[in-house]
Amino acid sequence: MPVSYFSLMEKSIAVHTLRIIITGLIQGIGFRPFIYTIAQRYGIHGYVRNRSDAAEIVAQGDEGALERFRSAINAPPALARIDSLTSLAIDDDAPYSGFTIRESEDSSDGVTDISPDIAVCEQCLSDLKEQPHRIGYPLINCTLCGPRFSIIRSVPYDRRNTTMAPFALCATCALEYGDPADRRFHAQPIACNACGPVYRLRHRGETFTAINDVLSRTASLLEEGAIAAIKGTGGFHLACNPFDTDAVRRLRSGKRRDGKPFALMFRDIAAVRRHAWVNDAETSLLQSAMRPIVLLRGMNTFPPEVNNRLTTVGAMLPSMPFHYLLFERLSLRALIMTSGNISEEPIVIDNEAAAALFAPLADAVVTYNRAIHNRVDDSVCAVYGEKVQMLRRSRGFAPAPINLPWKVDGIAATGAELKNCFALGKGSKAILSQHIGDLKNSETLQFFEEAYGRLCMLMRVKPSIVAHDLHPDYLSTMFARKTGLPLIAVQHHHAHIASCCAEHGIARKVIGVALDGTGYGTDGAVWGGEFLIADMRGFERAAHLRYVGMPGGDRAAVEPWRMAAAYLYDCFGEESFAMHRDLVSGVHGDKLAIIAEALRKGINCPQTSSAGRLFDAVASLCGLCNEMTFEAEAAMRLEAACGDALGVKPYQWRNNDGLIDLRETIGRICDDRRNRVSIDEIVTRFHATIIAVIVETCARLRGACGIDSVVLSGGCFQNRCIFEAAVRRLQENGFIVYTHHLVPCNDGAVALGQLAVAAHLRSEPTTPVRRI
């Protein structure tokens, strides 16, 4: 039993009062109920309440009890994160009777961290079967799980500030909400069959609202080859039977997704293991509260229409109660569960918009009547060398901040054009948005602007300076200009390196290796194969891939045969080009002749040092991909053909005072093709060559500048063969290697780098645009 204040006074025990302020991820994860419970345990009186900027505790008790109480706070709920805890003795003669949870206070411009959405917990899955008022309730949740970021409109995180506000608690739920011993004590989104949001199925003019009808009919439709649009936590999914090739083809056609592999949701981890190789780290990631899509090595058990004959499987496990209930009624072990959008557009979140947009495609639309306020697509991860690599940071991760050792307050960074996310600075925290997508159309720009405005409001950030990409024509750059605020333009690959440095909290000079598809260079060329000596204030371009032309400009990024022709022309020259152009199989000679003429005259052939375009060229020369049906397809097919590159002799190449010349590599690849060397052997030797380029160039730069820290960033490091082998070889050669783990290595990292660079430069006098 708690000890009363008055009994302490009667025993003449000295009573002290502390005010404890805690910041971090402490709202929406059962932190106040946790504090209440330990206060009861140690006989502490006072209160706890959420403020907009922190959790505030006033704790009254004897010295020993207070010490035990403070110590217990440091073991918070699993999903909580304490960034700071300050306690101050205060003069408070008023005795508190018991310990209470007080109403939240909106007290300042500061805010606590906002919890990402959390997959349904095991306790709720048990309640789904046993709790009378929640049996079969498809939106069950508690303080340990459920929607968070997707439903929050403003802070503090209280029900009235979420899209659950219209749903009044029934008497039973209200008792749970007010019961300190209950797992749903002050759980903001809780509901049940009597008072909560409900599901609805629309199919061929009929509407079904009874949950058993919704589930059984949806399951039957999917088994029969139908496509269903199903509302998820942060937006809609499009679902179908992966073994029904007609359904999969129809989904591809309707979604305008010609070749990109589809993600799959599996019934459970045992089902995953029937279709993919899964190690312990991947299992933990699949079963984590974040529930991302995890790229796994597939067993080639699905029809080629599902993953377009690639060797990987994008797998995820159920994250919502509805998913579990649906699989109970399905004989299928897996469903295609792809983002509910038309290709290149944002994921759909509105019920009526989904019904209208998917009418030509989906046979059924499954919705619930709780609104999604913040759209969040599925996150995508992989495990390389037992370390989690983020490929798309969204549901389950956003908008959790990244703590930095520098003040970034008042800085906004608009990110890259591809795989965009933006970043806001609050104190010394970088708050990264959810995945926005490729900023190439008005729909995605509208989503960007909506998310930017909402996150600024939610986190109470008032930007005073905006960092953006150096490219003048990107929509993200145009948005930055429209703000009317002072601007700092940051070169794309410098931002890549700075982002990884920011993750690790380092500002010293490093050797930065940035390998990707495209980035606007300071000389106006298209960069992408870069070795930089960089810190947060600037960079020196110490080495790079030798320039070649990009025939047709942006078309070369989707038609690898163009880059194959460009590399052949560069390698053999105009006179010998015709002798080798047959290596670009499947492309008419007239087309290649036109490309050769364009390269000779320099017509629409911008110069590029892009590693991504080099990979495209080799994929085409190896007959793996001449025209891409989705971004990075050529590089993915090249990786799929690669064996173990460690210990393999690389092709010849040259480093001419920092100019990395791969013409001999291309020549040897052509020789091997003519000598009928296996594609796998050629591809593996090419990967070994890229690894050698990375390691030997870094060694040369270390000799010149004495730097032994190497940072790896850029989309090419999503290639598992390159990443794992490069890290190992660099470490064997005595380098300290830094890689991404909190943000993707692809362009999703750029906003963090822009933010970090701007933080180090804003103290200097700035012009409207500062080019670095």
Side-chain angles (χ1 to χ4, degrees), residues 413-627:
T414 59
E417 180 184 49
L418 301 178
K419 301 178 180 66
N420 178 271
C421 78
F422 60 85
L424 303 175
K426 184 79 173 179
S428 58
K429 294 181 178 183
I431 303 159
L432 269 64
S433 76
Q434 66 272 50
H435 170 75
I436 302 295
D438 293 349
L439 279 179
K440 289 191 169 185
N441 55 52
S442 59
E443 293 86 358
T444 308
L445 177 61
Q446 184 179 356
F447 173 31
F448 175 97
E449 293 172 339
E450 172 194 272
Y452 180 88
R454 288 181 177 178
L455 200 57
C456 282
M457 182 275 297
L458 199 57
M459 304 308 298
R460 298 183 183 178
V461 172
K462 297 177 181 178
S464 57
I465 194 166
V466 181
H468 62 90
D469 195 271
L470 193 63
H471 198 298
D473 298 328
Y474 281 174
L475 292 178
S476 56
T477 302
M478 295 179 187
F479 175 85
R481 286 200 293 261
K482 285 198 308 182
T483 65
L485 296 169
L487 305 178
I488 293 180
V490 183
Q491 199 279 325
H492 181 87
H493 299 97
H494 183 207
H496 263 294
I497 302 308
S499 69
C500 191
C501 289
E503 284 191 55
H504 294 276
I506 57 176
R508 65 179 182 274
K509 285 188 183 295
V510 298
I511 299 171
V513 185
L515 305 181
D516 66 0
T518 184
Y520 190 73
T522 55
D523 59 357
V526 181
W527 290 9
E530 310 306 313
F531 292 79
L532 311 178
I533 304 298
D535 59 17
M536 290 297 179
R537 304 180 71 83
F539 70 91
E540 171 195 349
R541 193 185 191 196
H544 63 86
L545 297 184
R546 186 173 176 275
Y547 283 139
V548 296
M550 277 180 68
D554 285 345
R555 289 190 66 182
V558 294
E559 297 179 356
W561 67 267
R562 292 174 178 268
M563 289 310 303
Y567 269 95
L568 288 176
Y569 187 91
D570 182 59
C571 181
F572 298 112
E574 183 178 356
E575 292 183 3
S576 300
F577 174 75
M579 296 170 53
H580 298 279
R581 65 186 189 183
D582 62 301
L583 291 171
V584 188
S585 58
V587 179
H588 196 277
D590 290 347
K591 281 187 175 182
L592 294 170
I594 293 170
I595 292 299
E597 184 70 4
L599 287 163
R600 185 177 70 83
K601 295 182 177 179
I603 299 172
N604 194 20
C605 293
Q607 296 293 291
T608 184
S609 61
S610 167
R613 301 293 78 79
L614 168 64
F615 277 64
D616 293 349
V618 174
S620 177
L621 289 173
C622 290
L624 296 172
C625 185
N626 276 338
E627 295 190 7

Side-chain angles (χ1 to χ4, degrees), residues 186 269 666:
H186 278 252
I269 194 66
I666 297 298

Side-chain angles (χ1 to χ4, degrees), residues 269 272-273 276-288 294 296-297 317 382-388 720:
I269 194 66
V272 178
R273 291 192 174 112
W277 304 102
V278 193
N279 63 28
D280 290 345
E282 291 162 338
T283 299
S284 295
L285 188 56
L286 283 163
Q287 295 177 329
S288 70
V294 181
L296 305 170
R297 291 177 299 132
L317 292 177
V383 176
Y384 293 171
E386 300 301 311
K387 292 185 178 179
V388 174
R720 185 190 300 267

